[in-house]
Amino acid sequence: MKFQMICLPLLCALGSFILTLLLGRMIIPALRALKAGQSIREIGPSWHKSKDGTPTMGGIMFILSAAAAMILCGWGGMMSGSYEHLFVLAFSLIFGGIGFIDDYVKVKKHRNLGLTALQKLALQLAAAALYLLLLRWSGSLSGTLYIPFWNITVSVPWWIYLVFAMFVIVGCVNAVNLTDGVDGLASGVTIPVMAFFAVTAAVWSSSSESGLMTLGLFPAALFGGLAGFLVYNFHPAKVFMGDTGSLFLGAAVCGTAFAMDMPLILILIGIVYIMETVSVMMQVAYFKLTHGKRIFKMTPIHHHFEMLGWSEIKIFTVAVCVTLFCCAVAFLGVVNRY
């Protein structure tokens, strides 16, 4: 059991990493040939125009590799009746599919805007509701709120929990999407988040009879896939993940948190995602209240730091370090749950 707890997630991550590197050599040239280039928004930083035409939809690379590695390494768990990792994968794939449609529209019409905001919201809320009901049916989701650090749970009426959780999921997914605005940022920030989930699942599985060990293979695989993708996505990026990748990642982050029945931990491990989203909300609200004044030079907040003269590498490094620290603190808050 100890061998499986340590070696199986590591093997899963390594396999996903290698597979992503190999897929990159095939998919990036194919995307270039298909002219699947990113169109940079006119309202974005002017220096980002040099990125115009960089292949997008590269998220396919880590999605395929993580799925393959997880299914292969989790086959034994599936044979023993553990399917939690498949639930999270399917949920993430639905959001990745929404992102793919959005990317396809952008590439096909050569503009930065794909699906309308209303279309995205409707699809995302429907997917979130179905996923939460599936987790509830399977017994993975208690419907109570686990409070990290205090190690207690608070009972909440199911319908209130469901509505709350749906909007948390949609908010989290779109927060990750907003974070994908600087080379390597979304992938770099999500790597320690996936490490947190994988390590927590391994530790919990040693004292719990649930399928946490198998569930932990999903973040382990995505950790490896994102590390491989970062080889191509780090500044200067050779490929972007697109909405295909960022919506998949957002669903993977919140989907895993709910599958492990600890959604409140997203506040800590997702601090960078939250800062990105809050900066946009503050900017819009202040702009309307003051009839044109701004708090930040540009939002999301990573663009504000760019306008202050920070390089993309510095923004990446600071954001990843902040997330690493918060994930370490979060681990201390949940390690004694079981």
Side-chain angles (χ1 to χ4, degrees), residues 118-156:
L118 187 59
Q119 288 171 332
K120 284 184 182 179
L121 180 62
L123 289 170
Q124 291 174 2
L125 284 173
L130 289 173
Y131 176 65
L132 292 164
L133 291 171
L134 176 62
L135 288 181
R136 180 73 166 172
W137 171 79
S138 68
S140 300
L141 190 64
S142 66
T144 60
L145 279 179
Y146 169 68
I147 313 297
F149 300 100
W150 283 270
N151 208 32
I152 60 173
T153 56
V154 177
S155 297
V156 180

mmCIF file of all heavy atoms in Angstrom, residues 118-156:
data_model
loop_
_atom_site.group_PDB
_atom_site.id
_atom_site.type_symbol
_atom_site.label_atom_id
_atom_site.label_comp_id
_atom_site.label_asym_id
_atom_site.label_seq_id
_atom_site.Cartn_x
_atom_site.Cartn_y
_atom_site.Cartn_z
ATOM 1 N N LEU A 118 -23.332 34.815 -22.130
ATOM 2 C CA LEU A 118 -24.544 34.105 -21.704
ATOM 3 C C LEU A 118 -24.479 32.629 -22.082
ATOM 4 O O LEU A 118 -24.873 31.755 -21.302
ATOM 5 C CB LEU A 118 -25.783 34.764 -22.326
ATOM 6 C CG LEU A 118 -27.138 34.232 -21.847
ATOM 7 C CD1 LEU A 118 -27.278 34.396 -20.335
ATOM 8 C CD2 LEU A 118 -28.281 34.932 -22.579
ATOM 9 N N GLN A 119 -23.966 32.349 -23.279
ATOM 10 C CA GLN A 119 -23.833 30.956 -23.712
ATOM 11 C C GLN A 119 -22.871 30.193 -22.812
ATOM 12 O O GLN A 119 -23.147 29.066 -22.387
ATOM 13 C CB GLN A 119 -23.337 30.912 -25.163
ATOM 14 C CG GLN A 119 -24.369 31.341 -26.189
ATOM 15 C CD GLN A 119 -23.770 31.496 -27.582
ATOM 16 O OE1 GLN A 119 -22.577 31.789 -27.739
ATOM 17 N NE2 GLN A 119 -24.588 31.302 -28.607
ATOM 18 N N LYS A 120 -21.740 30.813 -22.491
ATOM 19 C CA LYS A 120 -20.761 30.176 -21.606
ATOM 20 C C LYS A 120 -21.353 29.918 -20.223
ATOM 21 O O LYS A 120 -21.202 28.837 -19.658
ATOM 22 C CB LYS A 120 -19.522 31.057 -21.466
ATOM 23 C CG LYS A 120 -18.575 31.046 -22.642
ATOM 24 C CD LYS A 120 -17.356 31.895 -22.302
ATOM 25 C CE LYS A 120 -16.388 31.967 -23.461
ATOM 26 N NZ LYS A 120 -15.210 32.812 -23.148
ATOM 27 N N LEU A 121 -22.039 30.928 -19.682
ATOM 28 C CA LEU A 121 -22.594 30.813 -18.332
ATOM 29 C C LEU A 121 -23.613 29.688 -18.257
ATOM 30 O O LEU A 121 -23.605 28.892 -17.308
ATOM 31 C CB LEU A 121 -23.228 32.141 -17.918
ATOM 32 C CG LEU A 121 -23.856 32.172 -16.518
ATOM 33 C CD1 LEU A 121 -22.798 31.924 -15.460
ATOM 34 C CD2 LEU A 121 -24.555 33.510 -16.269
ATOM 35 N N ALA A 122 -24.491 29.608 -19.245
ATOM 36 C CA ALA A 122 -25.525 28.570 -19.251
ATOM 37 C C ALA A 122 -24.904 27.169 -19.311
ATOM 38 O O ALA A 122 -25.290 26.266 -18.549
ATOM 39 C CB ALA A 122 -26.469 28.779 -20.435
ATOM 40 N N LEU A 123 -23.931 26.991 -20.181
ATOM 41 C CA LEU A 123 -23.269 25.694 -20.314
ATOM 42 C C LEU A 123 -22.513 25.334 -19.046
ATOM 43 O O LEU A 123 -22.551 24.184 -18.583
ATOM 44 C CB LEU A 123 -22.310 25.725 -21.514
ATOM 45 C CG LEU A 123 -22.951 25.745 -22.904
ATOM 46 C CD1 LEU A 123 -21.893 26.026 -23.974
ATOM 47 C CD2 LEU A 123 -23.652 24.422 -23.197
ATOM 48 N N GLN A 124 -21.843 26.299 -18.454
ATOM 49 C CA GLN A 124 -21.045 26.033 -17.260
ATOM 50 C C GLN A 124 -21.913 25.714 -16.045
ATOM 51 O O GLN A 124 -21.590 24.813 -15.265
ATOM 52 C CB GLN A 124 -20.134 27.225 -16.976
ATOM 53 C CG GLN A 124 -19.029 27.392 -18.007
ATOM 54 C CD GLN A 124 -18.217 28.665 -17.795
ATOM 55 O OE1 GLN A 124 -18.445 29.430 -16.860
ATOM 56 N NE2 GLN A 124 -17.255 28.902 -18.674
ATOM 57 N N LEU A 125 -23.004 26.444 -15.872
ATOM 58 C CA LEU A 125 -23.906 26.165 -14.743
ATOM 59 C C LEU A 125 -24.540 24.783 -14.871
ATOM 60 O O LEU A 125 -24.668 24.057 -13.873
ATOM 61 C CB LEU A 125 -24.991 27.243 -14.666
ATOM 62 C CG LEU A 125 -24.565 28.601 -14.107
ATOM 63 C CD1 LEU A 125 -25.691 29.609 -14.243
ATOM 64 C CD2 LEU A 125 -24.136 28.485 -12.642
ATOM 65 N N ALA A 126 -24.925 24.414 -16.073
ATOM 66 C CA ALA A 126 -25.518 23.094 -16.302
ATOM 67 C C ALA A 126 -24.515 21.985 -15.988
ATOM 68 O O ALA A 126 -24.843 20.995 -15.313
ATOM 69 C CB ALA A 126 -26.001 22.983 -17.745
ATOM 70 N N ALA A 127 -23.279 22.157 -16.462
ATOM 71 C CA ALA A 127 -22.244 21.156 -16.206
ATOM 72 C C ALA A 127 -21.943 21.062 -14.707
ATOM 73 O O ALA A 127 -21.767 19.961 -14.165
ATOM 74 C CB ALA A 127 -20.978 21.514 -16.979
ATOM 75 N N ALA A 128 -21.896 22.206 -14.028
ATOM 76 C CA ALA A 128 -21.615 22.225 -12.591
ATOM 77 C C ALA A 128 -22.703 21.500 -11.810
ATOM 78 O O ALA A 128 -22.411 20.706 -10.905
ATOM 79 C CB ALA A 128 -21.487 23.671 -12.111
ATOM 80 N N ALA A 129 -23.962 21.755 -12.150
ATOM 81 C CA ALA A 129 -25.078 21.119 -11.448
ATOM 82 C C ALA A 129 -25.038 19.604 -11.622
ATOM 83 O O ALA A 129 -25.202 18.848 -10.649
ATOM 84 C CB ALA A 129 -26.402 21.678 -11.959
ATOM 85 N N LEU A 130 -24.810 19.142 -12.835
ATOM 86 C CA LEU A 130 -24.762 17.703 -13.104
ATOM 87 C C LEU A 130 -23.620 17.042 -12.349
ATOM 88 O O LEU A 130 -23.764 15.950 -11.796
ATOM 89 C CB LEU A 130 -24.615 17.453 -14.608
ATOM 90 C CG LEU A 130 -25.853 17.757 -15.463
ATOM 91 C CD1 LEU A 130 -25.515 17.641 -16.948
ATOM 92 C CD2 LEU A 130 -27.009 16.827 -15.107
ATOM 93 N N TYR A 131 -22.472 17.711 -12.316
ATOM 94 C CA TYR A 131 -21.308 17.149 -11.622
ATOM 95 C C TYR A 131 -21.563 17.040 -10.121
ATOM 96 O O TYR A 131 -21.260 16.009 -9.497
ATOM 97 C CB TYR A 131 -20.091 18.033 -11.893
ATOM 98 C CG TYR A 131 -18.839 17.620 -11.164
ATOM 99 C CD1 TYR A 131 -18.219 16.404 -11.446
ATOM 100 C CD2 TYR A 131 -18.278 18.433 -10.177
ATOM 101 C CE1 TYR A 131 -17.066 16.016 -10.780
ATOM 102 C CE2 TYR A 131 -17.119 18.055 -9.513
ATOM 103 C CZ TYR A 131 -16.519 16.846 -9.819
ATOM 104 O OH TYR A 131 -15.375 16.461 -9.162
ATOM 105 N N LEU A 132 -22.120 18.071 -9.530
ATOM 106 C CA LEU A 132 -22.387 18.064 -8.090
ATOM 107 C C LEU A 132 -23.407 16.993 -7.718
ATOM 108 O O LEU A 132 -23.263 16.309 -6.699
ATOM 109 C CB LEU A 132 -22.885 19.441 -7.653
ATOM 110 C CG LEU A 132 -21.839 20.562 -7.728
ATOM 111 C CD1 LEU A 132 -22.511 21.928 -7.655
ATOM 112 C CD2 LEU A 132 -20.801 20.414 -6.611
ATOM 113 N N LEU A 133 -24.414 16.834 -8.549
ATOM 114 C CA LEU A 133 -25.409 15.789 -8.306
ATOM 115 C C LEU A 133 -24.785 14.398 -8.414
ATOM 116 O O LEU A 133 -25.126 13.483 -7.657
ATOM 117 C CB LEU A 133 -26.577 15.934 -9.285
ATOM 118 C CG LEU A 133 -27.472 17.164 -9.066
ATOM 119 C CD1 LEU A 133 -28.452 17.329 -10.226
ATOM 120 C CD2 LEU A 133 -28.235 17.053 -7.743
ATOM 121 N N LEU A 134 -23.851 14.234 -9.365
ATOM 122 C CA LEU A 134 -23.153 12.956 -9.517
ATOM 123 C C LEU A 134 -22.300 12.651 -8.292
ATOM 124 O O LEU A 134 -22.307 11.519 -7.778
ATOM 125 C CB LEU A 134 -22.279 12.993 -10.775
ATOM 126 C CG LEU A 134 -21.400 11.764 -11.034
ATOM 127 C CD1 LEU A 134 -22.266 10.519 -11.235
ATOM 128 C CD2 LEU A 134 -20.492 11.984 -12.243
ATOM 129 N N LEU A 135 -21.577 13.648 -7.802
ATOM 130 C CA LEU A 135 -20.761 13.443 -6.604
ATOM 131 C C LEU A 135 -21.631 13.115 -5.394
ATOM 132 O O LEU A 135 -21.275 12.263 -4.567
ATOM 133 C CB LEU A 135 -19.931 14.703 -6.309
ATOM 134 C CG LEU A 135 -18.760 15.027 -7.239
ATOM 135 C CD1 LEU A 135 -18.049 16.290 -6.765
ATOM 136 C CD2 LEU A 135 -17.777 13.869 -7.331
ATOM 137 N N ARG A 136 -22.771 13.792 -5.302
ATOM 138 C CA ARG A 136 -23.690 13.542 -4.187
ATOM 139 C C ARG A 136 -24.242 12.117 -4.257
ATOM 140 O O ARG A 136 -24.306 11.407 -3.241
ATOM 141 C CB ARG A 136 -24.844 14.554 -4.259
ATOM 142 C CG ARG A 136 -25.882 14.412 -3.164
ATOM 143 C CD ARG A 136 -25.367 14.887 -1.828
ATOM 144 N NE ARG A 136 -26.461 15.053 -0.882
ATOM 145 C CZ ARG A 136 -26.296 15.306 0.398
ATOM 146 N NH1 ARG A 136 -25.081 15.429 0.890
ATOM 147 N NH2 ARG A 136 -27.336 15.453 1.195
ATOM 148 N N TRP A 137 -24.597 11.702 -5.460
ATOM 149 C CA TRP A 137 -25.129 10.344 -5.672
ATOM 150 C C TRP A 137 -24.097 9.280 -5.345
ATOM 151 O O TRP A 137 -24.410 8.233 -4.769
ATOM 152 C CB TRP A 137 -25.597 10.213 -7.118
ATOM 153 C CG TRP A 137 -25.951 8.808 -7.509
ATOM 154 C CD1 TRP A 137 -27.100 8.130 -7.239
ATOM 155 C CD2 TRP A 137 -25.114 7.894 -8.221
ATOM 156 N NE1 TRP A 137 -27.049 6.849 -7.749
ATOM 157 C CE2 TRP A 137 -25.833 6.683 -8.358
ATOM 158 C CE3 TRP A 137 -23.837 7.990 -8.780
ATOM 159 C CZ2 TRP A 137 -25.304 5.571 -9.018
ATOM 160 C CZ3 TRP A 137 -23.312 6.887 -9.434
ATOM 161 C CH2 TRP A 137 -24.034 5.698 -9.546
ATOM 162 N N SER A 138 -22.829 9.544 -5.687
ATOM 163 C CA SER A 138 -21.770 8.550 -5.481
ATOM 164 C C SER A 138 -21.274 8.516 -4.042
ATOM 165 O O SER A 138 -20.538 7.600 -3.662
ATOM 166 C CB SER A 138 -20.587 8.845 -6.411
ATOM 167 O OG SER A 138 -19.941 10.052 -6.031
ATOM 168 N N GLY A 139 -21.664 9.516 -3.250
ATOM 169 C CA GLY A 139 -21.237 9.556 -1.856
ATOM 170 C C GLY A 139 -19.941 10.306 -1.614
ATOM 171 O O GLY A 139 -19.460 10.374 -0.472
ATOM 172 N N SER A 140 -19.366 10.891 -2.671
ATOM 173 C CA SER A 140 -18.102 11.627 -2.520
ATOM 174 C C SER A 140 -18.309 13.001 -1.896
ATOM 175 O O SER A 140 -17.391 13.549 -1.273
ATOM 176 C CB SER A 140 -17.423 11.794 -3.885
ATOM 177 O OG SER A 140 -17.138 10.544 -4.465
ATOM 178 N N LEU A 141 -19.501 13.551 -2.062
ATOM 179 C CA LEU A 141 -19.792 14.897 -1.583
ATOM 180 C C LEU A 141 -20.790 14.820 -0.440
ATOM 181 O O LEU A 141 -21.919 14.343 -0.610
ATOM 182 C CB LEU A 141 -20.360 15.739 -2.737
ATOM 183 C CG LEU A 141 -20.497 17.247 -2.499
ATOM 184 C CD1 LEU A 141 -19.127 17.886 -2.304
ATOM 185 C CD2 LEU A 141 -21.195 17.900 -3.683
ATOM 186 N N SER A 142 -20.377 15.275 0.731
ATOM 187 C CA SER A 142 -21.224 15.146 1.917
ATOM 188 C C SER A 142 -22.339 16.177 1.961
ATOM 189 O O SER A 142 -23.370 15.965 2.602
ATOM 190 C CB SER A 142 -20.363 15.274 3.182
ATOM 191 O OG SER A 142 -19.822 16.586 3.280
ATOM 192 N N GLY A 143 -22.131 17.337 1.326
ATOM 193 C CA GLY A 143 -23.111 18.409 1.420
ATOM 194 C C GLY A 143 -22.924 19.270 2.652
ATOM 195 O O GLY A 143 -23.704 20.177 2.924
ATOM 196 N N THR A 144 -21.860 18.977 3.416
ATOM 197 C CA THR A 144 -21.487 19.817 4.546
ATOM 198 C C THR A 144 -20.204 20.570 4.195
ATOM 199 O O THR A 144 -19.431 20.118 3.349
ATOM 200 C CB THR A 144 -21.241 18.985 5.820
ATOM 201 O OG1 THR A 144 -20.173 18.054 5.570
ATOM 202 C CG2 THR A 144 -22.494 18.219 6.206
ATOM 203 N N LEU A 145 -19.981 21.697 4.841
ATOM 204 C CA LEU A 145 -18.784 22.487 4.566
ATOM 205 C C LEU A 145 -17.689 22.137 5.566
ATOM 206 O O LEU A 145 -17.857 22.302 6.776
ATOM 207 C CB LEU A 145 -19.095 23.977 4.641
ATOM 208 C CG LEU A 145 -19.755 24.620 3.415
ATOM 209 C CD1 LEU A 145 -20.019 26.087 3.675
ATOM 210 C CD2 LEU A 145 -18.882 24.447 2.162
ATOM 211 N N TYR A 146 -16.584 21.620 5.048
ATOM 212 C CA TYR A 146 -15.436 21.316 5.893
ATOM 213 C C TYR A 146 -14.622 22.598 6.101
ATOM 214 O O TYR A 146 -14.303 23.295 5.142
ATOM 215 C CB TYR A 146 -14.568 20.242 5.227
ATOM 216 C CG TYR A 146 -13.227 20.057 5.901
ATOM 217 C CD1 TYR A 146 -13.146 19.509 7.178
ATOM 218 C CD2 TYR A 146 -12.043 20.437 5.263
ATOM 219 C CE1 TYR A 146 -11.923 19.349 7.805
ATOM 220 C CE2 TYR A 146 -10.814 20.277 5.886
ATOM 221 C CZ TYR A 146 -10.757 19.728 7.156
ATOM 222 O OH TYR A 146 -9.543 19.578 7.768
ATOM 223 N N ILE A 147 -14.315 22.916 7.350
ATOM 224 C CA ILE A 147 -13.562 24.120 7.697
ATOM 225 C C ILE A 147 -12.111 23.739 7.978
ATOM 226 O O ILE A 147 -11.823 23.116 9.004
ATOM 227 C CB ILE A 147 -14.155 24.826 8.942
ATOM 228 C CG1 ILE A 147 -15.680 24.959 8.829
ATOM 229 C CG2 ILE A 147 -13.480 26.180 9.139
ATOM 230 C CD1 ILE A 147 -16.147 25.823 7.682
ATOM 231 N N PRO A 148 -11.198 24.067 7.071
ATOM 232 C CA PRO A 148 -9.786 23.735 7.301
ATOM 233 C C PRO A 148 -9.262 24.418 8.563
ATOM 234 O O PRO A 148 -9.813 25.409 9.029
ATOM 235 C CB PRO A 148 -9.089 24.287 6.046
ATOM 236 C CG PRO A 148 -10.168 24.389 5.014
ATOM 237 C CD PRO A 148 -11.421 24.720 5.774
ATOM 238 N N PHE A 149 -8.181 23.874 9.116
ATOM 239 C CA PHE A 149 -7.504 24.348 10.320
ATOM 240 C C PHE A 149 -8.310 24.037 11.578
ATOM 241 O O PHE A 149 -7.767 23.535 12.556
ATOM 242 C CB PHE A 149 -7.190 25.848 10.255
ATOM 243 C CG PHE A 149 -6.292 26.227 9.109
ATOM 244 C CD1 PHE A 149 -6.822 26.769 7.944
ATOM 245 C CD2 PHE A 149 -4.923 26.025 9.189
ATOM 246 C CE1 PHE A 149 -5.999 27.108 6.880
ATOM 247 C CE2 PHE A 149 -4.096 26.355 8.133
ATOM 248 C CZ PHE A 149 -4.618 26.897 6.977
ATOM 249 N N TRP A 150 -9.611 24.328 11.587
ATOM 250 C CA TRP A 150 -10.453 23.980 12.734
ATOM 251 C C TRP A 150 -10.872 22.513 12.681
ATOM 252 O O TRP A 150 -11.317 21.960 13.677
ATOM 253 C CB TRP A 150 -11.686 24.883 12.791
ATOM 254 C CG TRP A 150 -11.380 26.244 13.319
ATOM 255 C CD1 TRP A 150 -11.417 26.663 14.621
ATOM 256 C CD2 TRP A 150 -10.958 27.386 12.555
ATOM 257 N NE1 TRP A 150 -11.057 27.987 14.714
ATOM 258 C CE2 TRP A 150 -10.773 28.465 13.462
ATOM 259 C CE3 TRP A 150 -10.737 27.613 11.198
ATOM 260 C CZ2 TRP A 150 -10.361 29.730 13.046
ATOM 261 C CZ3 TRP A 150 -10.317 28.876 10.779
ATOM 262 C CH2 TRP A 150 -10.136 29.914 11.693
ATOM 263 N N ASN A 151 -10.772 21.920 11.510
ATOM 264 C CA ASN A 151 -11.069 20.500 11.320
ATOM 265 C C ASN A 151 -12.492 20.133 11.762
ATOM 266 O O ASN A 151 -12.730 19.118 12.415
ATOM 267 C CB ASN A 151 -10.054 19.642 12.085
ATOM 268 C CG ASN A 151 -9.858 18.276 11.436
ATOM 269 O OD1 ASN A 151 -9.950 18.147 10.228
ATOM 270 N ND2 ASN A 151 -9.585 17.272 12.247
ATOM 271 N N ILE A 152 -13.443 20.992 11.374
ATOM 272 C CA ILE A 152 -14.849 20.739 11.687
ATOM 273 C C ILE A 152 -15.671 20.846 10.406
ATOM 274 O O ILE A 152 -15.200 21.378 9.397
ATOM 275 C CB ILE A 152 -15.390 21.736 12.733
ATOM 276 C CG1 ILE A 152 -15.278 23.177 12.205
ATOM 277 C CG2 ILE A 152 -14.656 21.581 14.055
ATOM 278 C CD1 ILE A 152 -15.938 24.213 13.106
ATOM 279 N N THR A 153 -16.880 20.334 10.452
ATOM 280 C CA THR A 153 -17.800 20.464 9.325
ATOM 281 C C THR A 153 -19.064 21.181 9.788
ATOM 282 O O THR A 153 -19.491 21.022 10.933
ATOM 283 C CB THR A 153 -18.183 19.098 8.739
ATOM 284 O OG1 THR A 153 -18.739 18.275 9.781
ATOM 285 C CG2 THR A 153 -16.969 18.397 8.139
ATOM 286 N N VAL A 154 -19.623 21.960 8.890
ATOM 287 C CA VAL A 154 -20.838 22.719 9.192
ATOM 288 C C VAL A 154 -21.953 22.229 8.276
ATOM 289 O O VAL A 154 -21.786 22.181 7.052
ATOM 290 C CB VAL A 154 -20.614 24.240 8.979
ATOM 291 C CG1 VAL A 154 -21.895 25.011 9.222
ATOM 292 C CG2 VAL A 154 -19.488 24.736 9.876
ATOM 293 N N SER A 155 -23.069 21.856 8.853
ATOM 294 C CA SER A 155 -24.198 21.359 8.061
ATOM 295 C C SER A 155 -24.865 22.509 7.315
ATOM 296 O O SER A 155 -25.086 23.587 7.864
ATOM 297 C CB SER A 155 -25.229 20.675 8.969
ATOM 298 O OG SER A 155 -24.667 19.543 9.583
ATOM 299 N N VAL A 156 -25.186 22.248 6.037
ATOM 300 C CA VAL A 156 -25.839 23.238 5.183
ATOM 301 C C VAL A 156 -26.967 22.533 4.433
ATOM 302 O O VAL A 156 -26.761 21.418 3.928
ATOM 303 C CB VAL A 156 -24.838 23.838 4.159
ATOM 304 C CG1 VAL A 156 -25.525 24.865 3.270
ATOM 305 C CG2 VAL A 156 -23.650 24.461 4.870
#
